[in-house]
Amino acid sequence: MARAKSSKGGVGALDRSPSQLLHRAQQLALDVYAQEFGPGSITQRQFALLAAVADYEGANQSDLVRVTGIDRSTLADMAARMIARGLLARERSAADARANAVRLTPAGRRVLDDAGPKMARADQRLLKMLGEASKRQSLVSMLRELVKAGEAAEPAPEPRPASRATKPRPKPVPKPAPKPAARSAARR
């Protein structure tokens, strides 16, 4: 095995990089997730989307982007594929007629219910690697703080009841007509 280089580069620098360590921890989490769920199951991101839709009934895709942290284009593609598979349904939002809301179908609920215990086992396996319960609680608390600090500018939407009354939208203010161009003195 190659030796680590000096602290100015190489593995030493990677070992001190929070972003690199979070990346490695995420890879570990995805490996544990794949082992618990097995081949042909939903992905970790699909689980996150199903769980968010269940928690935020009637949320639109922008809300789900904020809740899950999945980028807009990936989430739109995932939602379209899950709609095609019959796990999600899209309908006009009760809160904003211009937006589409996403909801779980009965098949999506069954998949989520089946996946919940598997996700819990994957999380338990990950946290068990830390040993002491206080370390486990500290890790989850610190990760939650980091996520909250990153989202401070855009808070997640509040969970909405399934039958929320629509608010009337204000009428748009018409734009003033453009003024005719003034003739220049040279053209007179």
Side-chain angles (χ1 to χ4, degrees):
M1 177 173 207
R3 291 185 335 174
K5 294 185 178 184
S6 72
S7 63
K8 293 184 179 185
V11 175
L14 294 177
D15 238 12
R16 291 185 304 279
S17 168
S19 59
Q20 174 63 18
L21 292 170
L22 285 169
H23 171 74
R24 302 253 333 258
Q26 174 68 12
Q27 288 301 118
L28 176 63
L30 291 173
D31 289 346
V32 170
Y33 178 93
Q35 291 167 3
E36 285 297 330
F37 276 71
S41 189
I42 61 172
T43 67
Q44 191 276 336
R45 283 182 160 187
Q46 289 170 331
F47 175 85
L49 181 54
L50 290 174
V53 170
D55 287 347
Y56 295 89
E57 183 71 35
N60 64 37
Q61 287 185 201
S62 294
D63 295 335
L64 294 170
V65 164
R66 283 189 295 275
V67 170
T68 63
I70 300 170
D71 69 87
R72 184 175 301 279
S73 61
T74 300
L75 190 132
D77 182 54
M78 284 174 55
R81 284 185 278 126
M82 294 173 88
I83 288 166
R85 288 178 54 193
L87 302 177
L88 296 176
R90 185 180 289 145
E91 54 200 26
R92 282 282 169 218
S93 171
D96 182 352
R98 298 169 296 173
N100 286 315
V102 182
R103 67 173 175 77
L104 282 178
T105 63
R109 170 58 65 192
R110 284 190 299 275
V111 168
L112 181 60
D113 290 346
D114 179 58
K118 294 174 185 177
M119 181 57 107
R121 283 194 306 271
D123 286 344
Q124 287 171 351
R125 282 181 57 192
L126 281 169
L127 292 174
K128 195 173 184 179
M129 292 177 192
L130 291 175
E132 299 172 31
S134 63
K135 285 183 179 181
R136 298 173 198 171
Q137 292 168 349
S138 292
L139 175 66
V140 173
S141 293
M142 286 188 288
L143 290 172
R144 191 177 298 117
E145 281 182 47
L146 181 61
V147 169
K148 282 182 182 179
E151 293 175 339
E154 283 192 56
E158 292 296 318
R160 301 180 206 167
S163 60
R164 183 173 169 172
T166 60
K167 293 181 184 176
R169 290 188 307 200
K171 292 183 179 180
V173 177
K175 293 181 180 179
K179 295 180 182 180
R183 292 185 174 170
S184 68
R187 292 165 101 186
R188 289 187 197 170

